[in-house]
Structure formats: C-alpha cells, structure tokens
Amino acid sequence: FFSKVAPSHGGAFVPWGGLEHSKFNYEVLVSESNRVAWQESSKGNVPPNALVVGHTSHGEALYTGRVIHHGIMTPGKVSDT
C-alpha cells in the first residue's frame, strides 16, 4: 500500500496491481520556501486544499499522506474515493 525509497537497494518500490515494482528514477517532494505543510485529517476526510500528486488507473485523485506506524513516520497514498 505504501511506496518506499530504499537507498541501500538503489531505488524506489511502488505497489501497483498487487505487485511491488522497482523504479530507479523517481522524484521526491521538497519545499524551498515553506509553502507546503502537513495538515491533520481523520475519518477518511481529505482537506479541500490537499495537493493532488497523481491519479488511480480510473482517474481518481491521489494525495500524499503520512502516519506514525510502529513509531516510524510512514508516507503513503491517500484517495478520497
């Protein structure tokens, strides 16, 4: 469910269609001037000003989210469908 970058393996690993796909060229979201911020959300809600970072195979918007899982901040994809 979560994409991950593993420098020790030289790439990013993306779940799609029930498989994990290796990618060796990828992009990372950065901020140069504090224009991007995380906003708390819950219960399946996506804030109205959330950044669309991609689309599902059916064209639905995808957003980036993050949670603390087992004590580690873990990023992932969020869908509002």
Side-chain angles (χ1 to χ4, degrees):
F1 185 78
F2 289 101
S3 301
K4 61 188 173 201
V5 173
S8 62
H9 289 80
F13 302 89
V14 181
W16 186 260
L19 301 172
E20 185 172 75
H21 304 272
S22 301
K23 300 293 180 181
F24 299 100
N25 294 301
Y26 52 89
E27 296 181 348
V28 177
L29 180 65
V30 298
S31 174
E32 293 183 11
S33 62
N34 297 328
R35 293 185 184 164
V36 178
W38 292 101
Q39 182 175 343
E40 290 187 19
S41 190
S42 63
K43 300 180 182 175
N45 296 314
V46 175
N49 57 339
L51 299 173
V52 176
V53 296
H55 292 87
T56 67
S57 60
H58 300 290
E60 293 126 342
L62 289 173
Y63 309 90
T64 297
R66 65 183 186 172
V67 299
I68 295 177
H69 183 68
H70 293 292
I72 298 170
M73 184 63 73
T74 306
K77 58 187 172 182
V78 176
S79 173
D80 61 359
T81 57

